[in-house]
Amino acid sequence: MAGSSFGTVFRITTWGETHGRGVGVIIDGCPAGLALCEEDIQKYLDRRKPGQSRFTTKRNESDTVEILSGVFEGRTTGTPISLMVRNKDQRSRDYSAIAEVFRPGHADYTFDAKYGFRDYRGGGRSSGRETLARVAAGAVAAKVLKELGISLNAYTRSIGPVSIDPARFDLALREENALYMPDAEAARAAEHFLEKKMKEQDSAGGVVECRITGMPAGIGEPVFDKLSANLGKAVLSIGAVKGFEIGDGFAAADLAGSENNDPFYMKDGQVRKGSNHSGGVLGGMSDGAEIIFRAAFKPTPSIARQQDTVTRSGEETAIEIHGRHDPVIVPRAVVVVETMAAATVLDLLLVNMGSRMDRVKDFYGA
Amino acid sequence: MAGSSFGTVFRITTWGETHGRGVGVIIDGCPAGLALCEEDIQKYLDRRKPGQSRFTTKRNESDTVEILSGVFEGRTTGTPISLMVRNKDQRSRDYSAIAEVFRPGHADYTFDAKYGFRDYRGGGRSSGRETLARVAAGAVAAKVLKELGISLNAYTRSIGPVSIDPARFDLALREENALYMPDAEAARAAEHFLEKKMKEQDSAGGVVECRITGMPAGIGEPVFDKLSANLGKAVLSIGAVKGFEIGDGFAAADLAGSENNDPFYMKDGQVRKGSNHSGGVLGGMSDGAEIIFRAAFKPTPSIARQQDTVTRSGEETAIEIHGRHDPVIVPRAVVVVETMAAATVLDLLLVNMGSRMDRVKDFYGA
Amino acid sequence: MAGSSFGTVFRITTWGETHGRGVGVIIDGCPAGLALCEEDIQKYLDRRKPGQSRFTTKRNESDTVEILSGVFEGRTTGTPISLMVRNKDQRSRDYSAIAEVFRPGHADYTFDAKYGFRDYRGGGRSSGRETLARVAAGAVAAKVLKELGISLNAYTRSIGPVSIDPARFDLALREENALYMPDAEAARAAEHFLEKKMKEQDSAGGVVECRITGMPAGIGEPVFDKLSANLGKAVLSIGAVKGFEIGDGFAAADLAGSENNDPFYMKDGQVRKGSNHSGGVLGGMSDGAEIIFRAAFKPTPSIARQQDTVTRSGEETAIEIHGRHDPVIVPRAVVVVETMAAATVLDLLLVNMGSRMDRVKDFYGA
Amino acid sequence: MAGSSFGTVFRITTWGETHGRGVGVIIDGCPAGLALCEEDIQKYLDRRKPGQSRFTTKRNESDTVEILSGVFEGRTTGTPISLMVRNKDQRSRDYSAIAEVFRPGHADYTFDAKYGFRDYRGGGRSSGRETLARVAAGAVAAKVLKELGISLNAYTRSIGPVSIDPARFDLALREENALYMPDAEAARAAEHFLEKKMKEQDSAGGVVECRITGMPAGIGEPVFDKLSANLGKAVLSIGAVKGFEIGDGFAAADLAGSENNDPFYMKDGQVRKGSNHSGGVLGGMSDGAEIIFRAAFKPTPSIARQQDTVTRSGEETAIEIHGRHDPVIVPRAVVVVETMAAATVLDLLLVNMGSRMDRVKDFYGA
């Protein structure tokens, strides 16, 4: 397919462009009977809303979600949940420059190469607004997971070279700064760094980290649909993500086996691990420990500096990109990572329900 | 599904355990008319065959592939290609220790948690032998790609802390050393490093890098099935992989936009890029440049050192794992990464054929 | 998944209930560059619009389609096409009777059994309005097919016992009567029959037949995704369909091989068949002849006569269903069958593009 | 994909040609812990084995199944179950006639049209031997279903014009005659009819009927993956099937609503139906009544009579097909229909497990 769907049993399908009528998603396979209202979803969307700090675009969007189907008398019915966010601020402006020129670091050239032409208004389908649909869908998944005792928390781990200090880690601080960093000192340093980049008409990247707690062991499928592989795909499918790692990730490649293996022990009759280099996944399945993974975001490609490029008709030219762009997308991407992880984990939990004969028999009362 | 299939149009489905009758794969959706014989596949399998150096297990397997269907008079017929590699060296031994004890860093505990019990002989489905099926399928994909002018080359980038030096990079050297490193000096240093680890009854990890040349621009689907996302899933689904990055990957998070953006220019009437920080993918689609990505492998979990663990029945114990294990799996994993990438890329090329109305019309002569 | 998607490369996903905000569909995988406007779709929707004759419900709906995404400057962009039809006539009425009672022949009981409760307003997701989304999606498929020289024509073959006479068959007459029958005499007889049923507070069923011309040979996949199997699923997934047959269908079971086999001959250098008992499909693939198939629709379950049934709480009761119901759904289902066939055929045409190595090489210029 | 897979959670993928090394299937998603041995599968394969009566081909095949993976110590492990049946009787003969000539009623022409050439030995992938893989997979599904209290019974309903009499129906008689008819008198008449056809060098078709008992209500998904639609696809994907109907099927089109609706009543606290015109499916979901459906098989296309046809190179010619062919395939197809239904039903049962929030919470102990 053309790749606008994700998941097997909990399956989401997104649509929409930044300057069209809106963006939306269909969630198929959400269990029936979940209490759900627009506010449940809105609070996640608000976490990525523009215009909340000096580090985000001033595009004026309320990003209000509407539930178009699948909910009746406050509960999901089991039928597809259609969610839509209308675009409001579709400023009429002159796109002729962008229409004819390929912006470096953007998908302009590749869209043209694939489809022969493109919706050049603001990036079209490859705009960051596409992630609204992911967040809306993942918010629903997160609500299901919460009922199962599973919670997800993503945050900014680093902006450019400024990283949080594990010794100062405090998740409660995440909401206290514009950059969603769980470390006040790092947040201040990162803000200074960003201001410098902005003055230089430049942009920055960073790393988002996500933790999932409460997962039962054994979730994920052993070969291609490993929990780590599906999380990786979910995260790498977010625009601007260039890297993914779980547990110790690339650092694990430098460790010895004796350092990297997590020993098992017993506590309260439960199997536990004495460390968590694995990041909560062994053999592609959850091992009962906290799941922890990271996503690397490249710097925002839209910068006001002059860059060399070419036109659609093959002439060399230069471009300066002015307008409403975040100098860094990481803080707004935090909730995208968290909700994509929610959708991934819920899908694998539902797929897993058929994995054991005894449990299938119990389920059907046989 | 239970996750033993990968791909949409070029779709592979694998089966088999290390100590069962064998391992195999069904390839569905391979174009008809490709010249194909067992030797085409065997040469890829031989690259991961055990026993070829002092750094690999001494398990004695010829790993001979048989084509069971889908090829007639030397050409693929368009029907499913069934490939099988029989297990020969299924040494009868006493598995009772492994049967009852969870090996740290292995999938023993998670298999039990998911399915209630497991095939404990040598890791069962989570053994490295599972990758034989991937390599066999990917070898067929690679042959199709070769006919389209696309070639893939993976190699060892680092073993533990020993990394190749880009200044000395020479792909021709890859076959000259047991570690598949394209840098003779780094290979020697890595061999010393490994010997030390072996003496310490310990193991090492490393990084595999892969390059794909000859890709047309526009391959990959813009949202969930991005080329980078599907490659990421393919690679992260290989046992022991803990990280994936494309282009500059995690390093891109530290760059400024002005550093990370690749400028476009024209050459011979073609759009080209002046650098390749993107790793050949923009907006999830190939941008015509070389595709370059990396996979981080954790150290081999099987080590002879004593490790703390627990039994199935919940008693704490210790384990030493002796027997036939690679001190590092990276050199043998190189071909696995390369062939999984081949399967991924071919699938997206075939999916892409329906992306433009004018080309669909041409195809059907309308 | 929860089964709201259909197709592999041309993939449609529908949503919506009859008394919610509306119904809609996302089309993923439509080739880019197709000229498309709302009128292209509207004309198909108008064919199933209520209130057009005395044989259809008087529900007052304009059923106006909106294109929410995927079209730019009058052409499809290759990204998902989101189509929506708002519900207008959501009469506020008292549903308490229906809410508590299972209507015979409807999905009330099965929805409750599956999900624990249901959206009881007018049938919810199982209402005939669900087919609006199918028609909208299939209208787009039909437009693509037209550009490939493929056309589809469905019509009413019979209403209750009144069937068209092949000797009088004239497709042009289809639009001339309220029942979409290509035989004026049969249409008159069927109208009399229906009026009698209406007086009896009863309803009728019937058979829809569909013909597809212009199909190249070789479309369909040889095993599970046979053209006949996928058409069968497409048609049997329409509410109220209880049977499907292709070519001679059930009558073929009574024929001898010598009667049923279609002889081949040559004409103008093309392979042709001297008869078409197969209905245009051999071995699951199109054989170049006209494709012809039929769908059997049960009578409308909503009738004003008193029927025995039970309540949700398990008490026996009786029900009379008054209100806006078609005495026969067949005439309005004609376009649903035709458009579902269009979506099925287009998907298989796109999947087929990767079936031959030589054509894949041509496509990629290798 | 190329369509060799079927199912979403219980997913089967088949391979193999009649004159290659064998045929086989991978079952992915079978619940772990099912007791399974080769005899469980073999007894189903034996029901379609050739050479058991004068009405089947004399091809000498033991059709012995081997379990290659996924079973350990007599129980399924949750990993893919690979099943294989080797071809033994691959008589070396001269296929040059068939190679160059398109047999009427066969897939020779359509395979060539699709793939450019074909494995012409005995029909290749479109041979009836392809169904061996379906039966093997469905036998496993049937064993799972049996543990859930669900049983399936298919039988021959008619051979040519000779149909069973419902008044004489006795399932126990099915095994007593070569035609698998649950009516001894009809079986004798059908045998006479077949002998006449054989003397005339001709062949016959027929109808298979299948009943499924013990199904819980609510199985099947409401829109595209209706139980009736998926059963229809499963059955229509069997070679030679030209029609499918459920419940009253085509006859329902002639009934009035008052005749066709099944009234509900209560018995022992359970919702029951006073009749079963629906065939056990309402709104695409099981309604708790017996599921009953029928499949129409065309007559065997291979007949010894002379038939007009053309060669691959476009010359008109005539063909007589001698050799080992069943004069009717219906009796051997009975088990194919039954096992495909088993695979379909089990898949929908597993998909259904995630349909309700309360049951998901119970499952995960939340």
Side-chain angles (χ1 to χ4, degrees):
Chain A
M1 81 207 74
S4 297
S5 297
F6 183 82
T8 297
V9 170
F10 183 87
R11 187 167 178 86
I12 66 177
T13 303
T14 71
W15 60 271
E17 287 88 31
T18 176
H19 284 66
R21 303 280 289 276
V23 298
V25 63
I26 299 179
I27 304 169
D28 199 24
C30 184
L34 177 76
L36 187 72
C37 64
E38 277 142 352
E39 178 52 28
D40 292 322
I41 301 161
Q42 193 63 49
K43 63 186 181 194
Y44 281 82
L45 292 177
D46 289 349
R47 286 171 56 189
R48 72 164 295 293
K49 204 163 65 175
Q52 302 190 109
S53 85
R54 65 192 184 284
F55 304 119
T56 61
T57 167
K58 279 160 200 69
R59 178 170 171 155
N60 182 15
E61 290 283 2
S62 61
D63 287 352
T64 308
V65 71
E66 296 169 67
I67 299 176
L68 300 177
S69 70
V71 175
F72 179 60
E73 297 183 342
R75 288 187 295 161
T76 58
T77 60
T79 60
I81 302 169
S82 179
L83 303 176
M84 180 176 178
V85 175
R86 286 163 210 272
N87 294 329
K88 295 206 170 130
D89 185 1
Q90 308 159 43
R91 248 190 254 187
S92 63
R93 42 178 289 202
D94 183 4
Y95 286 103
S96 54
I98 292 180
E100 290 306 314
V101 177
F102 297 138
R103 292 170 297 164
H106 277 282
D108 299 345
Y109 169 58
T110 51
F111 261 90
D112 263 26
K114 187 178 194 76
Y115 298 116
F117 77 117
R118 71 184 193 280
D119 179 349
Y120 45 74
R121 299 165 305 166
R125 180 82 174 136
S126 68
S127 157
R129 280 189 77 71
E130 175 259 323
T131 62
L132 273 172
R134 299 170 181 249
V135 172
V140 177
K143 188 150 198 222
V144 175
L145 293 177
K146 196 179 173 190
E147 299 236 353
L148 302 178
I150 298 168
S151 60
L152 302 97
N153 282 292
Y155 47 84
T156 300
R157 182 185 165 92
S158 65
I159 299 280
V162 184
S163 188
I164 60 170
D165 180 341
R168 288 191 304 259
F169 182 92
D170 180 356
L171 195 56
L173 298 174
R174 181 177 64 162
E175 320 289 328
E176 303 290 310
N177 61 83
L179 301 179
Y180 281 95
M181 289 183 109
D183 170 350
E185 202 167 308
R188 275 190 299 274
E191 289 181 14
H192 289 308
F193 172 78
L194 279 178
E195 278 156 4
K196 183 162 167 290
K197 285 289 151 197
M198 288 164 80
K199 272 182 210 144
E200 295 167 0
Q201 297 191 310
D202 217 334
S203 62
V207 173
V208 172
E209 190 164 71
C210 184
R211 293 165 187 265
I212 310 174
T213 54
M215 281 286 283
I219 305 306
E221 301 299 312
V223 182
F224 297 115
D225 288 347
K226 286 184 164 79
L227 175 52
S228 39
N230 282 16
L231 280 173
K233 171 165 175 159
V235 167
L236 287 156
S237 75
I238 302 169
V241 174
K242 304 300 286 186
F244 171 87
E245 55 181 13
I246 192 156
D248 284 7
F250 276 86
D254 285 0
L255 297 179
S258 61
E259 296 164 319
N260 186 65
N261 286 347
D262 300 317
F264 291 110
Y265 69 97
M266 299 302 299
K267 186 171 175 189
D268 305 331
Q270 295 287 314
V271 175
R272 296 287 176 84
K273 301 193 316 177
S275 56
N276 191 18
H277 296 282
S278 77
V281 177
L282 281 173
M285 293 170 276
S286 57
D287 65 14
E290 186 179 57
I291 290 167
I292 181 161
F293 66 85
R294 281 169 297 283
F297 285 80
K298 70 176 186 181
T300 311
S302 292
I303 54 175
R305 285 196 192 187
Q306 183 174 304
Q307 302 178 81
D308 292 334
T309 188
V310 299
T311 66
R312 290 192 74 205
S313 46
E315 283 159 51
E316 300 190 341
T317 183
I319 190 172
E320 293 170 14
I321 303 170
H322 299 284
R324 306 169 303 185
H325 303 106
D326 299 359
V328 67
I329 65 166
V330 170
R332 293 177 65 202
V334 165
V335 70
V336 184
V337 169
E338 186 176 303
T339 48
M340 281 303 296
T344 306
V345 163
L346 176 56
D347 183 44
L348 289 172
L349 279 157
L350 296 178
V351 167
N352 178 66
M353 290 178 75
S355 62
R356 285 172 63 163
M357 198 61 222
D358 52 356
R359 303 196 76 181
V360 175
K361 284 177 75 170
D362 280 353
F363 188 93
Y364 283 111
Chain B
M1 81 206 73
S4 298
S5 296
F6 184 81
T8 297
V9 170
F10 183 87
R11 188 167 179 85
I12 66 177
T13 303
T14 71
W15 59 271
E17 287 89 31
T18 177
H19 284 67
R21 303 280 289 275
V23 297
V25 63
I26 299 179
I27 303 169
D28 199 23
C30 184
L34 176 76
L36 187 72
C37 65
E38 277 142 351
E39 178 52 28
D40 292 320
I41 301 161
Q42 193 61 50
K43 64 186 180 192
Y44 281 82
L45 293 177
D46 288 350
R47 285 171 55 189
R48 72 164 292 296
K49 204 162 66 175
Q52 301 189 109
S53 85
R54 65 191 183 284
F55 303 118
T56 61
T57 167
K58 279 160 200 69
R59 177 169 172 156
N60 183 15
E61 289 284 2
S62 61
D63 287 352
T64 307
V65 70
E66 296 169 66
I67 299 176
L68 300 178
S69 70
V71 175
F72 178 58
E73 297 183 343
R75 287 187 295 161
T76 58
T77 59
T79 60
I81 303 169
S82 179
L83 303 175
M84 180 176 178
V85 175
R86 286 162 209 273
N87 293 329
K88 296 213 166 122
D89 185 2
Q90 308 159 44
R91 249 191 255 187
S92 64
R93 42 179 287 202
D94 183 5
Y95 286 103
S96 54
I98 292 181
E100 290 306 314
V101 177
F102 298 139
R103 292 170 297 164
H106 277 282
D108 299 345
Y109 169 57
T110 51
F111 260 90
D112 262 26
K114 186 178 194 75
Y115 297 116
F117 76 116
R118 71 184 194 280
D119 178 349
Y120 47 72
R121 299 165 304 168
R125 181 80 175 138
S126 68
S127 157
R129 279 189 77 72
E130 175 259 324
T131 62
L132 271 172
R134 300 170 181 248
V135 172
V140 176
K143 186 147 199 225
V144 175
L145 293 177
K146 197 179 172 190
E147 299 235 352
L148 302 178
I150 298 168
S151 60
L152 302 97
N153 281 293
Y155 48 84
T156 300
R157 182 185 164 92
S158 66
I159 298 281
V162 184
S163 188
I164 58 169
D165 180 341
R168 287 191 305 259
F169 182 91
D170 180 356
L171 195 57
L173 297 174
R174 181 177 67 163
E175 320 290 327
E176 303 290 310
N177 61 82
L179 301 178
Y180 280 94
M181 289 182 111
D183 170 350
E185 203 167 307
R188 274 189 299 273
E191 290 181 14
H192 289 308
F193 172 78
L194 278 178
E195 278 156 4
K196 183 162 168 291
K197 286 288 151 196
M198 289 164 80
K199 270 181 209 144
E200 295 167 0
Q201 296 190 314
D202 217 332
S203 63
V207 173
V208 173
E209 190 164 71
C210 183
R211 293 166 187 263
I212 311 175
T213 55
M215 281 285 283
I219 305 307
E221 301 298 312
V223 182
F224 297 114
D225 288 347
K226 285 183 165 79
L227 175 51
S228 38
N230 282 15
L231 280 173
K233 172 164 175 158
V235 166
L236 286 156
S237 75
I238 301 169
V241 174
K242 303 300 285 186
F244 171 86
E245 55 181 14
I246 192 156
D248 283 9
F250 277 85
D254 285 0
L255 296 180
S258 62
E259 296 164 321
N260 186 64
N261 285 348
D262 301 316
F264 290 109
Y265 69 98
M266 299 302 299
K267 186 170 175 190
D268 306 330
Q270 296 287 314
V271 175
R272 297 286 176 86
K273 301 195 315 177
S275 57
N276 192 17
H277 296 282
S278 78
V281 177
L282 282 173
M285 292 169 279
S286 56
D287 65 14
E290 186 178 58
I291 290 166
I292 182 162
F293 67 85
R294 281 170 296 283
F297 285 81
K298 71 176 187 180
T300 311
S302 292
I303 53 175
R305 286 196 191 189
Q306 183 174 304
Q307 301 179 81
D308 290 336
T309 190
V310 300
T311 65
R312 291 192 73 204
S313 47
E315 284 159 49
E316 299 189 343
T317 183
I319 189 172
E320 293 169 15
I321 303 170
H322 298 284
R324 306 170 300 183
H325 303 105
D326 298 359
V328 65
I329 66 165
V330 170
R332 294 177 64 201
V334 165
V335 70
V336 184
V337 170
E338 185 177 304
T339 48
M340 280 303 295
T344 305
V345 163
L346 176 56
D347 184 44
L348 288 172
L349 279 157
L350 296 178
V351 167
N352 178 66
M353 290 179 75
S355 61
R356 287 172 63 163
M357 197 62 221
D358 53 356
R359 304 195 74 181
V360 174
K361 284 177 75 169
D362 280 353
F363 188 93
Y364 282 112
Chain C
M1 80 205 73
S4 297
S5 297
F6 183 81
T8 297
V9 170
F10 183 87
R11 187 168 178 86
I12 66 177
T13 303
T14 71
W15 59 271
E17 287 88 31
T18 176
H19 284 67
R21 302 280 289 276
V23 298
V25 63
I26 299 179
I27 303 169
D28 199 23
C30 184
L34 177 76
L36 187 73
C37 64
E38 277 142 350
E39 178 51 28
D40 291 321
I41 300 162
Q42 193 62 50
K43 64 186 179 193
Y44 280 83
L45 292 176
D46 288 350
R47 285 171 57 189
R48 72 164 292 295
K49 203 162 67 173
Q52 302 190 109
S53 84
R54 66 192 182 285
F55 302 119
T56 61
T57 168
K58 277 158 202 69
R59 177 167 173 158
N60 182 14
E61 290 282 3
S62 61
D63 288 352
T64 307
V65 71
E66 295 168 67
I67 300 176
L68 300 176
S69 70
V71 175
F72 179 59
E73 298 184 340
R75 288 187 294 161
T76 58
T77 59
T79 60
I81 301 169
S82 179
L83 304 175
M84 179 176 180
V85 175
R86 287 163 209 272
N87 293 329
K88 297 210 166 123
D89 184 3
Q90 308 159 44
R91 247 190 257 188
S92 64
R93 41 178 290 201
D94 182 4
Y95 286 103
S96 54
I98 291 180
E100 291 305 315
V101 177
F102 298 139
R103 291 170 298 165
H106 278 281
D108 300 344
Y109 168 58
T110 52
F111 261 89
D112 263 27
K114 186 178 195 75
Y115 297 116
F117 76 117
R118 71 184 192 281
D119 178 349
Y120 46 73
R121 300 165 304 168
R125 180 82 174 137
S126 67
S127 158
R129 280 189 76 74
E130 174 259 322
T131 62
L132 272 171
R134 300 171 182 248
V135 172
V140 177
K143 188 150 197 223
V144 175
L145 292 177
K146 196 179 172 189
E147 298 235 354
L148 302 178
I150 298 167
S151 60
L152 302 96
N153 282 290
Y155 47 84
T156 301
R157 183 185 164 93
S158 65
I159 299 281
V162 184
S163 188
I164 60 169
D165 180 340
R168 287 192 304 260
F169 182 92
D170 179 356
L171 195 57
L173 298 174
R174 181 177 64 162
E175 320 289 329
E176 303 290 310
N177 62 84
L179 302 179
Y180 280 94
M181 289 183 108
D183 170 349
E185 201 168 308
R188 276 190 299 274
E191 290 181 14
H192 289 309
F193 172 77
L194 279 178
E195 279 156 4
K196 184 164 168 288
K197 286 288 150 196
M198 288 164 81
K199 272 182 209 143
E200 294 167 0
Q201 297 191 310
D202 217 332
S203 63
V207 173
V208 172
E209 190 164 73
C210 184
R211 293 166 187 264
I212 310 174
T213 54
M215 281 286 283
I219 305 306
E221 300 298 313
V223 181
F224 296 115
D225 287 347
K226 286 183 165 79
L227 175 51
S228 39
N230 282 16
L231 281 173
K233 172 165 176 161
V235 166
L236 287 157
S237 75
I238 302 169
V241 174
K242 303 299 286 186
F244 171 87
E245 56 180 14
I246 193 157
D248 284 8
F250 277 86
D254 285 0
L255 297 180
S258 61
E259 296 164 319
N260 186 65
N261 286 348
D262 301 316
F264 291 110
Y265 69 98
M266 299 301 298
K267 187 171 175 189
D268 306 330
Q270 297 287 314
V271 175
R272 297 286 177 84
K273 301 193 317 176
S275 56
N276 191 18
H277 296 282
S278 78
V281 177
L282 281 173
M285 293 170 276
S286 55
D287 65 14
E290 187 179 58
I291 290 167
I292 181 162
F293 67 84
R294 281 169 297 282
F297 285 81
K298 71 176 187 181
T300 310
S302 292
I303 54 175
R305 285 196 192 188
Q306 183 174 305
Q307 302 178 80
D308 292 335
T309 188
V310 299
T311 65
R312 289 192 74 205
S313 46
E315 284 159 51
E316 300 190 343
T317 183
I319 189 170
E320 293 170 15
I321 303 170
H322 298 284
R324 307 170 302 185
H325 302 105
D326 298 358
V328 67
I329 64 165
V330 170
R332 293 177 65 203
V334 165
V335 71
V336 184
V337 170
E338 186 177 303
T339 48
M340 281 302 296
T344 306
V345 163
L346 176 55
D347 183 44
L348 289 172
L349 279 157
L350 295 178
V351 167
N352 178 66
M353 290 178 73
S355 62
R356 286 172 64 164
M357 198 62 222
D358 51 357
R359 304 196 74 181
V360 174
K361 285 178 75 170
D362 281 352
F363 187 93
Y364 283 111
Chain D
M1 81 206 72
S4 298
S5 296
F6 183 82
T8 296
V9 170
F10 183 86
R11 188 168 178 85
I12 66 177
T13 303
T14 70
W15 59 271
E17 288 88 31
T18 177
H19 284 68
R21 302 280 288 275
V23 298
V25 63
I26 299 180
I27 303 169
D28 199 24
C30 184
L34 176 76
L36 187 72
C37 65
E38 277 143 350
E39 179 51 27
D40 292 321
I41 301 161
Q42 193 62 48
K43 64 186 179 193
Y44 281 82
L45 292 176
D46 289 350
R47 285 171 56 188
R48 70 164 293 295
K49 203 162 66 175
Q52 300 189 109
S53 85
R54 66 191 181 285
F55 302 120
T56 62
T57 167
K58 277 156 203 71
R59 178 167 171 158
N60 183 14
E61 290 283 3
S62 61
D63 288 351
T64 306
V65 70
E66 297 169 65
I67 299 176
L68 301 177
S69 70
V71 175
F72 179 59
E73 297 184 342
R75 288 187 294 160
T76 58
T77 59
T79 60
I81 303 169
S82 179
L83 304 176
M84 180 177 178
V85 175
R86 287 163 209 272
N87 293 329
K88 296 212 168 123
D89 184 3
Q90 307 158 45
R91 246 190 256 186
S92 63
R93 42 178 288 202
D94 182 5
Y95 286 102
S96 54
I98 292 180
E100 291 305 315
V101 177
F102 298 140
R103 291 169 299 164
H106 278 281
D108 300 344
Y109 168 59
T110 51
F111 261 90
D112 262 26
K114 186 178 194 75
Y115 297 116
F117 76 116
R118 70 183 194 280
D119 179 349
Y120 46 73
R121 299 165 304 169
R125 180 82 173 137
S126 68
S127 157
R129 281 189 75 73
E130 175 259 324
T131 62
L132 272 171
R134 300 171 181 248
V135 172
V140 177
K143 188 149 197 223
V144 175
L145 292 176
K146 196 179 172 189
E147 299 235 353
L148 302 178
I150 298 167
S151 60
L152 303 98
N153 282 291
Y155 47 84
T156 300
R157 182 185 165 92
S158 65
I159 298 281
V162 184
S163 188
I164 59 170
D165 181 341
R168 286 191 306 258
F169 182 92
D170 180 357
L171 196 56
L173 297 174
R174 182 177 65 163
E175 320 289 328
E176 303 290 309
N177 61 83
L179 302 179
Y180 280 95
M181 290 182 108
D183 170 349
E185 203 167 308
R188 274 190 299 274
E191 290 181 13
H192 290 307
F193 172 77
L194 278 177
E195 278 156 4
K196 184 164 167 290
K197 286 289 151 196
M198 289 165 80
K199 271 181 209 143
E200 294 167 0
Q201 296 191 311
D202 217 331
S203 63
V207 173
V208 172
E209 190 164 70
C210 183
R211 294 165 186 264
I212 310 175
T213 55
M215 281 285 283
I219 305 306
E221 301 297 313
V223 181
F224 297 115
D225 288 346
K226 286 184 164 77
L227 175 51
S228 38
N230 282 16
L231 280 173
K233 172 165 174 159
V235 166
L236 286 157
S237 75
I238 302 169
V241 174
K242 304 300 285 187
F244 171 87
E245 55 181 14
I246 191 155
D248 284 9
F250 277 85
D254 285 359
L255 296 179
S258 61
E259 296 165 320
N260 186 66
N261 285 349
D262 301 317
F264 290 110
Y265 70 97
M266 299 302 298
K267 187 171 174 188
D268 306 329
Q270 297 287 314
V271 175
R272 296 287 176 84
K273 301 194 316 176
S275 57
N276 191 17
H277 296 282
S278 79
V281 178
L282 281 173
M285 293 170 278
S286 56
D287 65 14
E290 186 179 59
I291 289 166
I292 181 161
F293 67 85
R294 282 169 296 283
F297 285 80
K298 71 176 186 181
T300 312
S302 292
I303 54 175
R305 285 196 191 187
Q306 182 174 305
Q307 301 178 82
D308 292 334
T309 190
V310 299
T311 65
R312 291 191 73 205
S313 46
E315 282 159 52
E316 300 191 341
T317 182
I319 189 172
E320 292 170 15
I321 304 170
H322 297 285
R324 307 169 300 183
H325 304 105
D326 297 0
V328 66
I329 64 165
V330 170
R332 293 177 64 202
V334 165
V335 71
V336 184
V337 169
E338 185 177 304
T339 48
M340 281 303 296
T344 305
V345 162
L346 176 55
D347 183 44
L348 288 171
L349 280 157
L350 296 178
V351 167
N352 178 67
M353 291 179 75
S355 62
R356 287 173 63 163
M357 198 61 221
D358 53 356
R359 304 196 74 181
V360 175
K361 284 177 76 169
D362 281 353
F363 188 93
Y364 283 112

